[in-house]
Amino acid sequence: KAGVTQTPRYLIKTRGQQVTLSCSPISGHRSVSWYQQTPGQGLQFLFEYFSETQRNKGNFPGRFSGRQFSNSRSEMNVSTLELGDSALYLCASSLAMGEDGYTFGSGTRLTVV
Amino acid sequence: GENVEQHPSTLSVQEGDSAVIKCTYSDSASNYFPWYKQELGKGPQLIIDIRSNVGEKKDQRIAVTLNKTAKHFSLHITETQPEDSAVYFCAPEGGNYQLIWGAGTKLIIKP
């Protein structure tokens, strides 16, 4: 079966712009989580969605937002991009919250210049 | 909140030898303890996990041991192979099902 699909794989944006990243979970998975990964900070939790509702949120500013659609696909948006937002953004899906084992996508590499 | 520490940050072992990575956590309410492996250019992949009602779990060359009293769990890889080279993360479950990630251990397998 298809894995978690993230698009695009690579993205270059200018400071001040906004960006939208997309994540398609494994078929049947209803929970989608987003993470930011940087060499200095490791994996940082952004938010988790289940049944179109945000269930958990990490410590990121309001410039970072997300949503989940009825088919469980999810998007995250970053507005007013800063140089420090350059990172690998990872999406993970699971059957439901608390269900063992998250499956990750390969991520979107965002570079802000 | 939960504090997670992972040691060592880098581990270099000879091919065929064993590797052990340790993860300590602070939340005594944690009940789920997974280990993830991340290869270059890919997202983390779950390789083994354990729940708090079990002390040890093994899957071929990989095992996880849990000491709830001391609040630590460890990843054991035996007969290491070149394809084991990767970054390994522990991620004990904190409150509200959220995983709390360690900083990662870079495992290098020397031929």
Side-chain angles (χ1 to χ4, degrees):
Chain A
K1 61 182 179 183
V4 177
T5 303
Q6 291 189 246
T7 56
R9 284 298 310 274
Y10 303 92
L11 206 49
I12 299 176
K13 288 286 188 179
T14 304
R15 196 170 40 179
Q17 287 187 311
Q18 75 165 20
V19 67
T20 299
L21 311 181
S22 179
C23 172
S24 293
I26 288 175
S27 178
H29 283 194
R30 296 170 61 195
S31 173
V32 174
S33 299
W34 288 91
Y35 290 86
Q36 181 195 67
Q37 187 174 31
T38 59
Q41 296 296 318
L43 271 154
Q44 301 288 313
F45 173 74
L46 281 154
F47 26 66
E48 179 171 18
Y49 286 87
F50 179 74
S51 293
E52 303 176 64
T53 302
Q54 188 180 92
R55 306 290 179 156
N56 272 323
K57 189 176 189 304
N59 295 323
F60 278 82
R63 300 185 296 108
F64 292 81
S65 63
R67 59 178 175 169
Q68 186 180 34
F69 302 96
S70 58
N71 61 358
S72 294
R73 191 178 71 84
S74 178
E75 290 181 346
M76 67 162 282
N77 184 277
V78 188
S79 62
T80 320
L81 283 165
E82 301 177 359
L83 296 179
D85 297 333
S86 294
L88 179 67
Y89 289 88
L90 291 160
C91 164
S93 76
S94 65
L95 281 168
M97 291 180 65
E99 290 290 323
D100 302 348
Y102 286 83
T103 302
F104 281 81
S106 294
T108 294
R109 173 74 61 185
L110 172 66
T111 302
V112 182
V113 296
Chain B
E2 168 106 77
N3 186 42
V4 176
E5 292 188 2
Q6 196 175 327
H7 296 282
S9 56
T10 305
L11 179 59
S12 183
V13 302
Q14 205 70 38
E15 182 179 348
D17 288 350
S18 295
V20 181
I21 303 169
K22 185 176 177 179
C23 183
T24 59
Y25 60 94
S26 59
D27 188 351
S28 57
S30 293
N31 285 314
Y32 176 60
F33 307 91
W35 284 96
Y36 283 79
K37 173 185 181 182
Q38 187 174 24
E39 296 174 283
L40 208 58
K42 297 182 180 179
Q45 176 191 7
L46 177 69
I47 55 171
I48 197 165
D49 57 9
I50 195 169
R51 288 211 170 263
S52 59
N53 57 345
V54 177
E56 181 175 358
K57 183 177 177 181
K58 194 173 180 181
D59 182 5
Q60 298 180 1
R61 297 186 297 108
I62 294 172
V64 54
T65 58
L66 172 65
N67 185 328
K68 273 218 90 179
T69 304
K71 290 191 275 188
H72 66 75
F73 62 112
S74 297
L75 175 69
H76 305 254
I77 305 174
T78 59
E79 300 171 15
T80 53
Q81 299 169 6
E83 55 264 35
D84 295 329
S85 292
V87 179
Y88 292 82
F89 294 93
C90 65
E93 188 177 73
N96 205 17
Y97 308 121
Q98 185 177 334
L99 299 181
I100 311 298
W101 293 77
T105 295
K106 184 175 183 179
L107 177 61
I108 300 166
I109 308 300
K110 297 180 290 185

